[in-house]
Amino acid sequence: MRYRITFFAGLAIGYVLGTAAGRERYEQLKKSASRVAQNPAVRNAAESAAQQGRQYAGKAFVAVGDHLPQRLHRVMGNGSGKASADDDWGTSNT
C-alpha cells in the first residue's frame, strides 16, 4: 500500500511539473531529439553498434549452437545471424 501511495504521489508531481513546462517546452525537446537523431555521426554510431551486435550474435550462435533447440537452428540457418526466407517468426527477408 505504501508503494502505491508513493507511486501516485510521484505521478501527481510529475503531472504538475509537466503541465507547468507546457507544450512549448515539449516541442523544444522533441525538436532537439529529432535533430540529434538526424545527425550523421549519431546515425553512423547506431549503425556500427547494430552491425557489431549482429556479428557478436552470429558468433554466439556458432559457439553454443549444439545446445540450442532445433527450432532455432532452422530459423538461424547456417549460424550467420540472419533469418532464413521461410522462417515462421514473421520476419522473412523477402
Side-chain angles (χ1 to χ4, degrees):
M1 185 69 173
R2 185 178 84 191
Y3 296 111
R4 245 185 234 175
I5 293 171
T6 305
F7 173 75
F8 285 117
L11 187 67
I13 291 170
Y15 176 77
V16 169
L17 292 176
T19 56
R23 182 75 178 182
E24 183 179 329
R25 181 65 179 148
Y26 169 76
E27 292 297 332
Q28 286 177 345
L29 291 171
K30 185 176 167 184
K31 186 177 178 181
S32 295
S34 177
R35 207 175 311 131
V36 167
Q38 296 301 322
N39 185 333
V42 173
R43 295 182 90 167
N44 287 342
E47 179 58 34
S48 175
Q51 195 171 32
Q52 281 184 335
R54 286 189 293 270
Q55 287 174 352
Y56 289 136
K59 289 178 183 178
F61 177 78
V62 170
V64 297
D66 294 337
H67 303 290
L68 295 175
Q70 192 61 33
R71 176 184 167 109
L72 284 178
H73 284 281
R74 279 198 327 263
V75 171
M76 297 299 287
N78 63 1
S80 65
K82 296 183 180 180
S84 63
D86 59 343
D87 71 5
D88 51 349
W89 289 27
T91 57
S92 67
N93 293 330
T94 57

